[in-house]
Amino acid sequence: MSFLVPAVLLPCDPFAAKTLTPIDHSTKEKSFNEFKIKFLKILKSKDRKALEEVIDKDIHFSFGGEAGKKDFLKTFQLTEKPSASNFWELMEETIKLGFRQNNEGQMVAPYFFETFPGDYDPFTHYLVIGKNVNVREDATKESKSITQLSYQIVRAEADDLDGRRLEKESNCNWKKICTPQGKPGYVCDRFLRSPLDYRAFFEKKKNNWYLTIFIVGD
């Protein structure tokens, strides 16, 4: 007679805990705060014409040969069918995470991009982007929560089913992670963000703010 043995998550290697508390410098600069309000309206209405006016002519958006406003609009399919472009959602998800003003005066979103510690490999670590986010025993919202994390760095763990743990009920693609305390578990991908995911840089030129960088990867 054979018995089904429940899967056991073996401990993972602990590492130094690091919390990147949310900040948002966008309100401390009056002109940028006014620009941000206008920019959010552009995103919500998917107004391509208004968007073009705030894109820098030399915008950097690729590690390849493409550059400049014309290539940017083409790459994000904003030329022919702007309403169907994924740009609007990608940008909104990026800037809702908050801005940090860097030493050059640029406003950068998400807030943690330039402060993500260099001793954490950006290819294998995420930031938990939420408060009291559940880390579960299994890849389902019905599973027991083993701990909760708020804005902490976690490490991705090897998972044979990575990218295929989609649960329709919770709209989650469950990612296997390791907490700083060495506890393995699963977190809904909507609450994880890689430092190499999309980031946006805005720069003030001749009294006007422009989107100068919008890029993903390394």
Side-chain angles (χ1 to χ4, degrees):
M1 182 179 292
S2 61
F3 296 92
L4 290 175
V5 179
V8 176
L9 291 176
L10 298 175
C12 48
D13 293 333
F15 56 96
K18 182 68 175 179
T19 300
L20 298 178
T21 305
I23 58 172
D24 189 4
H25 289 168
S26 65
T27 56
K28 78 173 189 176
E29 170 83 49
K30 183 182 177 183
S31 66
F32 183 76
N33 192 45
E34 291 172 351
F35 168 83
K36 185 184 76 169
I37 292 170
K38 181 178 78 171
F39 190 65
L40 285 169
K41 289 180 180 178
I42 292 173
L43 296 180
K44 190 172 182 179
S45 61
K46 297 184 178 181
D47 187 340
R48 191 200 71 184
K49 187 175 180 181
L51 175 67
E52 285 190 48
E53 293 177 0
V54 298
I55 296 175
D56 188 74
K57 64 181 180 64
D58 298 315
I59 186 170
H60 177 51
F61 65 93
S62 168
F63 292 105
E66 304 95 340
K69 186 188 296 190
K70 185 177 179 180
D71 283 347
F72 176 87
L73 295 171
K74 184 178 179 181
T75 297
F76 283 98
Q77 299 178 323
L78 287 161
T79 305
E80 295 180 1
K81 293 183 178 180
S83 61
S85 171
N86 66 347
F87 166 80
W88 314 105
E89 184 179 357
L90 290 173
M91 177 60 80
E92 193 168 5
E93 288 177 352
T94 301
I95 64 175
K96 76 178 183 182
L97 294 171
F99 291 87
R100 178 182 180 274
Q101 190 166 30
N102 64 19
N103 293 333
E104 289 74 42
Q106 298 165 315
M107 287 290 184
V108 184
Y111 72 92
F112 59 84
F113 172 67
E114 291 193 325
T115 57
F116 202 88
D119 46 351
Y120 294 85
D121 185 345
F123 290 96
T124 57
H125 290 79
Y126 302 108
L127 183 69
V128 174
I129 50 170
K131 190 174 182 180
N132 299 327
V133 174
N134 288 308
V135 180
R136 299 192 180 276
E137 279 188 341
D138 204 355
T140 170
K141 67 174 183 177
E142 305 301 330
S143 180
K144 177 184 175 183
S145 175
I146 58 175
T147 189
Q148 290 184 323
L149 299 176
S150 301
Y151 306 103
Q152 276 194 299
I153 293 176
V154 295
R155 188 178 64 236
E157 286 291 288
D159 183 7
D160 292 339
L161 293 177
D162 185 36
R164 290 177 287 156
R165 294 186 182 276
L166 182 64
E167 184 182 44
K168 292 182 180 179
E169 294 78 10
S170 59
N171 190 28
C172 288
N173 191 359
W174 293 91
K175 295 283 189 182
K176 188 178 182 182
I177 61 97
C178 180
T179 70
Q181 295 74 29
K183 290 183 178 181
Y186 295 90
V187 174
C188 175
D189 65 339
R190 290 188 288 114
F191 299 103
L192 295 172
R193 181 94 175 184
S194 165
L196 298 180
D197 208 331
Y198 275 100
R199 54 268 192 194
F201 286 63
F202 296 85
E203 188 173 336
K204 194 174 187 179
K205 297 183 176 183
K206 296 180 180 178
N207 295 320
N208 292 308
W209 287 92
Y210 295 93
L211 173 64
T212 55
I213 299 174
F214 187 56
I215 201 162
V216 66
D218 183 33

